Amino acid sequence: MGLSPYINASIILQLLSVVVPKLEEIKKEGAQGQKKINMYTRWLTIPLAFVQAYGMIILLNSLVQGASIVDTSNWASLLSMMTIITAGTILLMWLGEQINEVGIGNGISMIIFAGILSDVPGRIATQLANVAWAGPVKDIVIALLPFIILLVLTLSVIYIIIKFTEGYRRIPLVYTRTGRDERSYFPIRINQAGMIPIIFAMSLVTFPYILGQALVIRGAGLPEFVKSAAQLLVNLFNPNTPTWSFVAIFIVLVLGFSFFYLSITFDTKEVSESIQKRGGYIPGIRPGRQTAEYLRTVSNHLNFF
């Protein structure tokens, strides 16, 4: 199951910290507040992992024909399996925090990255094993060409992702202090939402598939229209064989969540008031409401880009 329950818990707490005043106050406490948020995230991970473990067992059963892998009617066995799967996620969460504590940082991301990279050596070995090394040099080069092209494209994508992640636009600021103007800037990141919209969108777009799978498995005794609807959900929202409708809905959800997440995490009014309190202004833009509207417009343009 990996770390997806922990990631979901982190996202939920991040969103709730904007909606719930008490959590918002805790978040503003600095390092101590972040420790409390991290503790709440750990506690929320456990029930989320437990529920997702049940869904994972149902999904495993749906992948085989004939007899089920797990007897879901035996609740004693089912609960023990769900507990073990949940414990696996908690162990990974603990390992991620250990990586953070010893000073490397980004422990959760490092574990996810390692999981992705673990598949790379096998794929490279398979590609190289198909090359006839004893043959002519021309044939060897032609056989290695797809691998070289893929390597170049991979490095190019990594470079572009880094530039987008680290890139920001500088909004010029002028501070009037002690009778003279001090010039500075306010940075707005190009990709403020990060990976969260993609995670949200994928969770939503695959939920109908999981629901449809569960209904198909429990099909005995269900009305025909329910069975038909369940099969339709499975066909339309199967992430393994995505349809055009699946792709279109996924794109719309990513765009929607990007703007939604940005609207609740980047408070342009608060930023505008903070700049005004420090005696600053954006050249050509009035302080207050116009500054907030200008920042919102720039932020939305960057987000859409």
Side-chain angles (χ1 to χ4, degrees):
M1 192 162 59
L3 281 160
S4 58
Y6 178 81
I7 295 170
N8 292 334
S10 301
I11 294 171
I12 291 170
L13 260 297
Q14 200 168 4
L15 292 175
L16 287 177
S17 65
V18 180
V19 180
V20 181
K22 183 66 177 176
L23 287 175
E24 190 175 4
E25 290 175 10
I26 293 174
K27 195 174 181 181
K28 290 179 179 179
E29 291 177 4
Q32 290 299 321
Q34 191 58 46
K35 284 183 179 180
K36 290 180 182 178
I37 295 292
N38 291 340
M39 182 184 68
Y40 296 153
T41 304
R42 295 189 204 105
W43 283 110
L44 183 58
T45 299
I46 297 172
L48 287 179
F50 203 69
V51 172
Q52 192 171 332
Y54 178 75
M56 189 176 184
I57 291 171
I58 296 297
L59 183 62
L60 284 172
N61 278 344
S62 69
L63 296 177
V64 296
Q65 299 293 330
S68 300
I69 297 176
V70 179
D71 182 12
T72 53
S73 62
N74 185 349
W75 278 99
S77 175
L78 184 62
L79 287 173
S80 65
M81 291 180 189
M82 290 165 63
T83 303
I84 291 170
I85 295 173
T86 301
T89 292
I90 304 304
L91 174 63
L92 284 178
M93 181 180 71
W94 176 80
L95 285 174
E97 292 182 355
Q98 294 304 304
I99 294 173
N100 287 339
E101 288 180 10
V102 298
I104 299 174
N106 293 319
I108 301 298
S109 298
M110 293 284 283
I111 291 175
I112 295 171
F113 182 59
I116 296 169
L117 282 187
S118 65
D119 194 37
V120 173
R123 290 182 178 273
I124 294 175
T126 302
Q127 181 69 30
L128 296 179
N130 295 329
V131 178
W133 296 100
V137 176
K138 181 181 177 182
D139 293 344
I140 294 175
V141 171
I142 292 173
L144 288 175
L145 194 59
F147 174 73
I148 295 170
I149 293 173
L150 181 62
L151 180 62
V152 171
L153 288 175
T154 301
L155 293 176
S156 301
V157 169
I158 292 172
Y159 174 78
I160 292 169
I161 289 172
I162 291 172
K163 296 297 287 185
F164 265 87
T165 304
E166 298 299 323
Y168 55 86
R169 172 161 174 191
R170 297 183 177 185
I171 304 297
L173 293 175
V174 177
Y175 289 97
T176 305
R177 294 172 182 168
T178 63
R180 60 189 179 88
D181 291 342
E182 295 181 6
R183 295 192 172 272
S184 183
Y185 66 87
F186 179 78
I188 299 181
R189 300 183 75 91
I190 294 176
N191 182 15
Q192 295 185 73
M195 288 289 292
I196 290 177
I198 296 177
I199 296 170
F200 266 14
M202 184 55 73
S203 299
L204 275 185
V205 82
T206 53
F207 178 74
Y209 171 73
I210 296 171
L211 179 63
Q213 284 277 38
L215 291 174
V216 168
I217 294 169
R218 303 287 186 181
L222 292 176
E224 282 302 321
F225 75 91
V226 175
K227 293 180 183 178
S228 301
Q231 193 59 51
L232 181 64
L233 290 176
V234 170
N235 295 336
L236 285 178
F237 295 97
N238 189 343
N240 301 315
T241 56
T243 59
W244 283 109
S245 58
F246 178 94
V247 175
I249 293 170
F250 179 65
I251 290 171
V252 170
L253 286 174
V254 170
L255 283 171
F257 277 124
S258 294
F259 284 99
F260 169 74
Y261 185 77
L262 184 63
S263 67
I264 64 174
T265 55
F266 184 50
D267 191 343
T268 55
K269 184 179 178 182
E270 184 179 333
V271 173
S272 173
E273 290 175 354
S274 176
I275 293 172
Q276 191 173 6
K277 286 177 182 177
R278 296 177 183 178
Y281 65 92
I282 300 172
I285 307 293
R286 288 185 178 181
R289 184 173 60 85
Q290 284 194 8
T291 297
E293 290 177 356
Y294 175 76
L295 291 174
R296 188 179 301 109
T297 301
V298 172
S299 179
N300 285 336
H301 287 171
L302 289 174
N303 187 57
F304 182 74
F305 173 71

